[in-house]
Amino acid sequence: MRVKSVELYHLKLPLVHFFETSFGRVAHQETLIVRLITDKAEGYGEVPASAGPHYSYETVRTASYIIKDFLAPLVFKATDLDIGRILTGFKTIRGHNMAKAGLEMALWDLQARLTRKSLAQIYGGIKKSIPAGISLGIEDSVNALLIRIKASLKQGYRRIKVKIKPGWDIKVVGAIRKSFPEIELWADANGAYELDDWPLLRRLDRFRLTLLEQPLRYDDIIDHGKLQTKIKTPICLDESIKSFSDARQAIELGACKIINIKQARVGGFSEAKRIHDYCLSKNVPVWCGGLLESGIGRLHNIALAGLPGFVLTPDISESKRFYKEDIIEPPVVLERDGTIAVPDETGLSNRVIIARIKKYAVQTIAL
Ligand code: OSB
Ligand code: MG
């Protein structure tokens, strides 16, 4: 069995509401859909890289270039679908984790279709449903954010994560705690602070956050270790953990107590699973993060979050939290009890609406 063709769709999806982090505000999400075709089945993956090199250095265009010139040729060369062997080939390309992850997702989805298994079975998930958490961006006013939190809780979301940055931190988190004394609350700085800001970050301790995500630089480990000795709130790393090796070093150095696992950031499911297994053995809680994925990446995340080490509520919301119209049907929905069902259908392709992918595509490449 050979992969006959690889199709790459660069999508521009309008967001129902802008999303603002410490590195900026977006009104659209750009993402890359990877479609693999064989004689017998199709597989879908997603590279949620966005338009600019802000969260990471990758963009939809760099990922599309790396897949076209370097990764797809390794997939075409494989005469059998030995995914392990293909991934060994990927290791000869340094970095570009999101590009690798999108292609790896599509390979596992293809495998699911060919072996008539669900993605959850392929990934080793054990949960029938997962709790849903929502990540809320920076707003124009504290009141606007409080209104969104109230609406999210009413919908059933089990925990709230808010984005913070210098000037939008103590006052905001304090106001949230005052209005919602008992909710599970997290904060994510996306690398906006420096170690010298520790007295300010220590003031967050009184608000009983479950975790403070990526307070310092996107590539730092050591200063996070120093910061953790000065604050009580558990530090969770996101951007800093790009591989199993980063995870091991961060844990050994005490740089974090929790890890956010995103398959896109760490270079795919296999690396995500290695980090998951290691953290489980070290009693380090992990959770599944998100990057505004369309339905395709979202379903991969849901399957991944079903693994046993994912003990904290993931950043996985229903499709309509970000998109009026998703590219899968039915879309991902939030149950009234604040959970999302883990699908048992064989792979994703029965749910993908190709006409919608084409509708939102700004560029298509067929290899
Ligand atoms: O840091 O987790 C992050 C979105 C874009 C870039 C970075 C992050 C995020 C999110 C969104 O928090 C989470 C989601 O997809 O629900
Ligand atoms: Mg984050």
Side-chain angles (χ1 to χ4, degrees), residues 19 55 135 161 163 188 190 238 262 290-292 315 322:
F19 190 75
Y55 170 77
S135 170
K161 175 172 120 180
K163 296 292 187 179
D188 185 359
N190 289 106
D238 174 355
K262 294 177 182 170
L291 289 166
L292 317 183
D315 268 351
F322 290 118

Side-chain angles (χ1 to χ4, degrees), residues 16 155 317-324 326 331-333:
V16 294
Q155 285 174 66
S317 49
E318 62 181 344
S319 296
K320 70 172 197 263
R321 180 263 180 275
F322 290 118
Y323 306 107
K324 196 165 147 207
D326 203 341
V332 173
V333 293

Side-chain angles (χ1 to χ4, degrees), residues 205 209-213 228 231-236 257-258:
D205 280 348
L209 301 175
T210 304
L211 60 85
L212 172 61
E213 190 175 338
Q228 187 67 87
I231 66 173
K232 285 207 186 70
T233 308
I235 293 175
C236 168
K257 293 184 173 155
I258 298 168

